[in-house]
Amino acid sequence: MKLIIKIALAGLLLPLFATAQEKLTLVDCYTLANANYPLAKQIDLLQQKSILDIDVLNLGKLPKIDLNAQATYQSDVTGLPIPLPNVVPINKDQYRATLDVNQLLYNGGLIDANAKLKMLQSKTQQQQVEVNLYQIKTQINQLYFSVLLLQNQKSILLSKQDQLISKINEVKTGVKFGAILPSSEKVLEAEKLKINQQLVSIQFDKKRLLENLSALTFSTIAENVVLVQSIISVDFNLENNRPELKLFDFQNEQIEDSKNIVSKNKLPKINAFGQAGYGNPGLNMLDNSFQTFYIVGLKANWNVFDWNKSKTEKQMLSVSAAIVSTEKETFLLNNKLQLQVMENEIYKTEGIIKSDSEIITLREDVVKSMDAQLKNGVITSSEYLVEFTNLFEAKINQKTHEIQLDLAKANYQISKGIPLIPELGN
C-alpha cells in the first residue's frame, strides 16, 4: 500500500517536469526517489512474503490428513505351533489402505509465537530498506543544491550581461564624441564574450547534474526545469529520529521473540490422532480376510531434558542483543559528531552571510563612483571593469553562501532524521 501511494504521487509529479518552466522542489525529488527507486519495491514484496509465511504457519493449526496405501509380500508370517480348528494361516501377501488424521491440540502457543517472529522479521527487513533508501537523500541534496547554485549564477550573470551591454552603449557614445578612448569599448566587449563563455559552461554543467538527478530519482527532469530555493529552518533541540534507530529497536524485539520461541520449544506438545482403514489382515491378525478398522487416541511429547540446548541458544541470543546495543551506541556517537560538525558549519555560514550584504553595498558605491569617472574619461574601462566584476563576484558569493547554508541545513535535517518541510522561497 505504501508503495502504491508513492507511485501515485510520482505519477502526479512526473508530467510536471516534461513541460516548460515547471518548478521542482527538494521534497519532490525525495518523493520521486522513494517511489521509483528499484529498492523501494522490496517494501511491498517483503510485506507480501510475510503474509504468505504467516499463512503457512497457521496451516499447522489445521488437521493433517494423509491417505496411505500399501501392498506387501513377505517371506514368512506369524503362525501357531499347532493347528487349530477354524484358524486359517495368515497370507504372505497383505494389503492395507488407511486415512490418517492428526490434530494439534496444544504446543504452548509456538505457532503464534513463530507467526509474530515472522512479522517482526519482515518489519526489520522493511526498515532496512527504508534505511538504504534514506541514504539516497544526501546524494539528492548535493545534486539539487549544485543545480540551484548554477541556476542562481546564471541569473546573476545575465544581470551582469544586461548592465554591461548598457555600459557598452554608453562607451560607444563617449568614443563617438571623443570623450572616451576607442580601446575602452573593446575591453568591455571582451568581458561580454567572457560572460557568454560562463553561461555556456553553466548550461552544460546544469544539464549534466540534472541528468544525474534524473537517474537518481528514476524520472525524466526537463533541462529547463526551475528548482525552487526553499527556506529551511532548523531546530537543534529536536530529538534524533533516524530510521536506523527504529531498525535497532526491531532487531531487539526480534531477539526477544526468538528467546520466547526457545522457551516454548521446551513445552509439551499434545496431538489427537485417528486412523481409519481397510485391509487384509485388519487389526485382528487371526482373521485372514479384508476388514475395516479404526484407531483414535492422544499423543503427548515432552522433551524434559535437552542437554542445556535451550540455555545455550538463549545465551547466543543475549550476545546478539549486546552486539545490536553496541552498534546502536556506535551509530549514535558517530551521528552526534557528524551533527556537531554540521551545526558549526551552519553557524559559520550564517556569520559569513551577514557581511555579504555590506560588501555588496560598498561595492555598488565604488562602481557608481567609477561609472562617473569612466564617463568623464578620468579612468579607463579596464579600471572600471575590475570593480564592476568585483561587484558581481560579491553577489555570486552571497548566493553561493546562501545555498551552502540551505545545503548544510538540509543535510543536518537528514542526518538527524527530521522530515524536511521547507517553506517555499523563490
Side-chain angles (χ1 to χ4, degrees), residues 332-382:
L332 286 172
L333 176 61
N334 292 335
N335 185 248
K336 181 180 179 181
L337 295 174
Q338 184 183 39
L339 289 171
Q340 286 176 346
V341 172
M342 291 179 172
E343 190 174 335
N344 289 331
E345 183 67 22
I346 290 171
Y347 284 132
K348 182 186 78 173
T349 309
E350 285 176 339
I352 292 173
I353 290 174
K354 287 180 181 179
S355 59
D356 279 329
S357 295
E358 296 178 15
I359 293 172
I360 291 173
T361 299
L362 292 173
R363 290 289 183 193
E364 286 175 340
D365 291 341
V366 172
V367 169
K368 286 179 182 178
S369 175
M370 299 292 279
D371 182 51
Q373 294 178 52
L374 178 62
K375 288 179 180 178
N376 296 322
V378 177
I379 61 171
T380 65
S381 58
S382 295

Side-chain angles (χ1 to χ4, degrees), residues 188-233:
L188 297 179
E189 288 286 356
E191 181 65 19
K192 179 184 170 185
L193 292 174
K194 182 180 176 182
I195 292 173
N196 288 334
Q197 288 180 332
Q198 292 172 326
L199 289 172
V200 170
S201 177
I202 285 174
Q203 178 184 348
F204 282 96
D205 288 343
K206 181 182 177 182
K207 181 175 181 294
R208 174 179 54 83
L209 291 171
L210 283 176
E211 286 173 351
N212 292 340
L213 189 59
S214 295
L216 199 59
T217 57
F218 281 78
S219 57
T220 302
I221 300 176
E223 193 177 333
N224 55 3
V225 69
V226 176
L227 302 190
V228 178
Q229 185 170 356
S230 305
I231 301 170
I232 303 174
S233 57

Side-chain angles (χ1 to χ4, degrees), residues 12 26 44 53 97 120 135 143 156 186 199 221 239 246 250 259 317 338 357 380 394:
L12 293 173
L26 183 57
D44 267 13
D53 286 340
L120 276 173
Q135 310 300 328
L143 288 171
I156 293 172
K186 294 181 180 179
L199 289 172
I221 300 176
E239 290 186 8
K246 188 178 286 188
F250 281 141
K259 288 182 180 179
L317 289 168
Q338 184 183 39
S357 295
T380 65

